[in-house]
Amino acid sequence: MATDNKYDRQLRLWGANGQKKLSESCIVLVNATAVGTETLKNLCLPGVGKFHIIDDAKLSPSTSPQDPFSNFFVFRDQDSNGTPQDRAEIATKHLSELNPDVIGSFTSVDSLETADYESIFSSLAETGQNLLVIASDLPPSILKKISSICWDGIRSKPVPLVIVKSFGLIGSVRIQTPYHAIIESKPDNEKPDLRLAPTSMNASVFPELAALVEKTNLDQMDSKDHSHVPYVILLLKAMQLWRKSNEKDDDALPKTFAEKEEYRKELKSLARDMNMELNFIEADQNYYLAYTDLEIPFEVQELIDLAQENLYQKVEKKGDVDMFDVLLLALKKFMESHDGFPPLNGSIPDMTASTQGYIELQTIYKSKAESDVQEMKRIIAAIGDEYDADKTGVIPLVSDDDLNVFCKNIYNLRLIKTRSYCQEYDFEFGDDKDELLSDVAMSTFDPYDDPVHTPILWYIALKACDLFYDEHGHYPGQDDRDLALESDAKNVQKYIVEILSKIGLDENELVQSTLLSTEEEKDMAFAKEMTRYNNAEIHNIASVIGGVASQEAVKLITGKFIPMDGTYIFNGIVGVAGVIKL
Amino acid sequence: MAVDASSESNKHGNTMASYQCRGSLATLLSRPSPFTNETGALPIGEFEPSDLSSLSKFKVLVVGAGGLGCEILKNLAMSGISNVHVIDLDSIDITNLNRQFLFRQKDVGGSKAEVAARFINERCPWMKVTPHHGKIQDKDSSFYKSFDCVISGLDNIEARRWLNATICSFVEIDEDGDPDPSTIIPIVDGGTEGFAGQARVILPRITSCFECSLDSFPPAKSFPLCTVAETPRIPEDCIAYAFMIQWPKEFPDKKLDTDSPHDMQWVYQRALERSQKYDIEGVTYTLTLGVVKNIIPAVASTNAIVSAACVNEAVKLLTFASQTLNTYMMYLGSAGVYQHTFVYEQKEDCPVCTATVRKMTVAKSTTLNELLQKLKDGDLRLNSPSATAATSGKTLYMQKPPFLEKATRPNLDKPLSELIQNGEEVTITDPMFPGTSVGLSVFFD
């Protein structure tokens, strides 16, 4: 082995600071069914700090080793002398074996219906760990309690909640977080922040780059140097040439297709051999960078627009001001005093160049980024003076590391505010009603190949089973007899119809031909299938869901990557899934 | 409405809350359904309600006992499929422990297949997992033919191509040109990279096969040697110089052991020196390992998703209890969750799962060696091709055995026009495609 760090393969995804966040977290699992223990497994392995299981189930003395069958971490120990064992204890023991860095504990309660979650969560939070709750296979009545506690927060700090469910061949994951700020969303293809167009229009935007372009004299270079001028410089040179030969103003950019083609021609005319000079080939591949500017994504613009009001309100209400709020306001002020440009990212992609030429260019970008960071630092200090003149600490400190990371990720900032489970369950909408319902309707216009497997339909069928539980105190399909199964299916169908009318899908074409179809083969097919399951715990479904849920939990804990917003629904009949935002 | 803590007695007399009373795999297998195998897009059998004992007749092969393999073995155990074989040539490394949960610190250095099988057999007494510590290529076709389903969790393209071609070659085609269903062994294949992964079902000769999708797995990125040697710019260039140029120069008789901290420290130090010489920032030991070993990030969660999706398909394919994934599921988890399931179409001239004869036009002067090189570099991506003239049966070139190689070697430098007729079909074989050959009609322009 070339490294002794067992976390090497994941550190390459979320880095040392992501790992630190993980180690400072405490995962609370309510109900240690298979989907719950599978989720926890995938969090113990990468090294969360602690976990705590709350459960009310017991294994009876006569349980044979393979009786539970679907839960890898719950089985009777052979030396238990026939006494009933708490599932919480057994699961804690076997999950703890996965990773010696993780500390597991449990609370066995009489009933998950009556457990005092608030006091358990509060005492866990006292250790200073960041809580994240996983609610596994719970009926709505219990979920509502847990959801409210997490939403309102423990010691005024909201607790992210991950709700998981495995139900026969169907499974779901829902995230609940009132406020989740993301700085490092780590997009797969990050576009470079080169500032070519603005610099070519106005040298004062980036004088050092403009000077480097001026200094570069293509005509006097030998062929080796000529073929090693970085394409960034070539693009700017070509812009000057295009303006000159087409008698354009000093700040003109090619706009029409014809102009862009002219520009490209000028660029190619600078080459001595367009087939051999790699730097010119790269320039031609990236020619659009010369006149298109990296745009602030609308999600980021929205955050910037609201920054001032947001911070002001929080300070007024003596609320919990987040570092993210301060950084956003600083960004807004920075952009106002820099013609709308944010701090420069400072890194450049690899490109054909001599070592010296590349380092020179890299240094120019880097120094500019560093000076922008310094400017941000001054702005942040001024914000502190303005909003917290008495130094009460209402404005949190921003460390240099945090500021550097922020400035490198201006285009990647995101804020997630999900709806609560209670809002979802009760179909409670606010101003967002029309938008949400039209999104749901939209999802029916793009059905899966076999329309019957479109995710929204199975979301509705699963939800109908929760309504069934609420009314009957058990899930459909508990009684094996044909008549009972038929009667349960009819009831499930009734709830399906009820839900459809609540979300305005009763007249929907896809729904009519699937959920509501009365054709012989399709009649009540969803209700019958859900009833067939009797809420069956199928390990593979539990494990898919445990995988998805733990991936989301890692994103919520580390603050990196973007968690989903809505309910993930997995249809294990054909392996189709979707995220429903409701 | 709120539910009172309604509880009922289970068969052992313990009270259990009603949300804890639920069905299991047995329920799924025993009840009829509107969504059984024969109702889906890939029907291969008719569902008959049965009980768990029906699962004991199946024999399943798990290829790979790593990140996916550990999960797959657990999932099979939790699905009651007891007769399982697992094959892997790797031994356990410390960096496996963040996801390969059947291994512990004390197991480092041990055989993955053996340790994984032992763990499952101990934890789940109904399981009989048979480990094979070795290369998949060392098993003969009778070994592979004995399984009802093959689940692969491999981390490299070459092994997957070989396995796919082997299983596909078992399919017998009847007089009407239809595949004989009893000779079809389903392959369920999974793969992951960071937060992304995919699972797919391959029904040889019915759906697309792994080879059909080879184009979506581009060959590993190589370093432009010229940049590395003359104009290094980024830390990767310095690392590439250290291990590709400096190591062989310094140790001409010793292969770099990428698992040895001693060797890797040497590479790191040389890379660091070079980067300092050129003012390049960012050479670290972690990056050095990543570049030299071409490390792909791997996490427990993605392995869980992909493995469970695979075994879910295997269980359905064996029991017919539900429909089948048609045919490819892609999971992307880094920006929200995006999952896309679609039919991966069969490639019209797939060298493995179609009998299409390919056409190739070359200059008359092209030598046999040049033709074989084209087959290596082209879209077929062959490893070590041998060639026979199809009509005459004349051997043109054979890689093995040595005496035949020696006898046919002189043909390599001959122009093709001396060896075959214009338009003649050449049969190409390659160890990558065991049991299969590729027909190639060669035309001269």
Side-chain angles (χ1 to χ4, degrees), chain B residues 59-60 85 141-149 170 185:
Chain B
K59 188 178 171 194
V60 171
H85 286 240
S141 55
S142 68
F143 173 78
Y144 290 102
K145 274 184 183 166
S146 72
F147 295 98
D148 299 298
C149 181
F170 297 158
I185 301 173

Side-chain angles (χ1 to χ4, degrees), chain A residues 38 41 56 529 555 568 573, chain B residues 19 33 71 74 333 339:
Chain A
E38 287 297 306
K41 173 190 100 233
D56 64 357
E529 182 72 357
K555 295 186 213 168
Y568 169 86
I573 301 170
Chain B
Y19 46 83
S33 156
E71 287 278 344
K74 173 208 69 177
Q339 189 169 325

Side-chain angles (χ1 to χ4, degrees), chain A residues 2 10 31 38 41 56 62 69 72 166 350-351 355 366 453 477 480 529 534 555 562 568 572-573 575, chain B residues 12 18-20 22-23 28 31 33 71 74 78 98 123 232-233 259 281 285 316 323 333 336 339 341:
Chain A
Q10 67 199 38
N31 205 19
E38 287 297 306
K41 173 190 100 233
D56 64 357
S62 54
F69 207 59
F72 193 69
S166 91
D350 188 24
M351 60 189 83
T355 301
K366 226 165 151 179
H453 291 302
D480 234 355
E529 182 72 357
N534 179 26
K555 295 186 213 168
I562 308 174
Y568 169 86
I573 301 170
Chain B
H12 307 296
S18 59
Y19 46 83
Q20 307 288 15
R22 56 196 297 199
L28 194 76
R31 291 181 176 178
S33 156
E71 287 278 344
K74 173 208 69 177
M78 294 292 110
N98 76 327
R123 167 77 59 101
R233 297 181 296 267
D259 287 328
E281 286 179 25
Y285 186 60
K316 292 184 296 167
Q323 299 179 356
Q339 189 169 325
T341 301

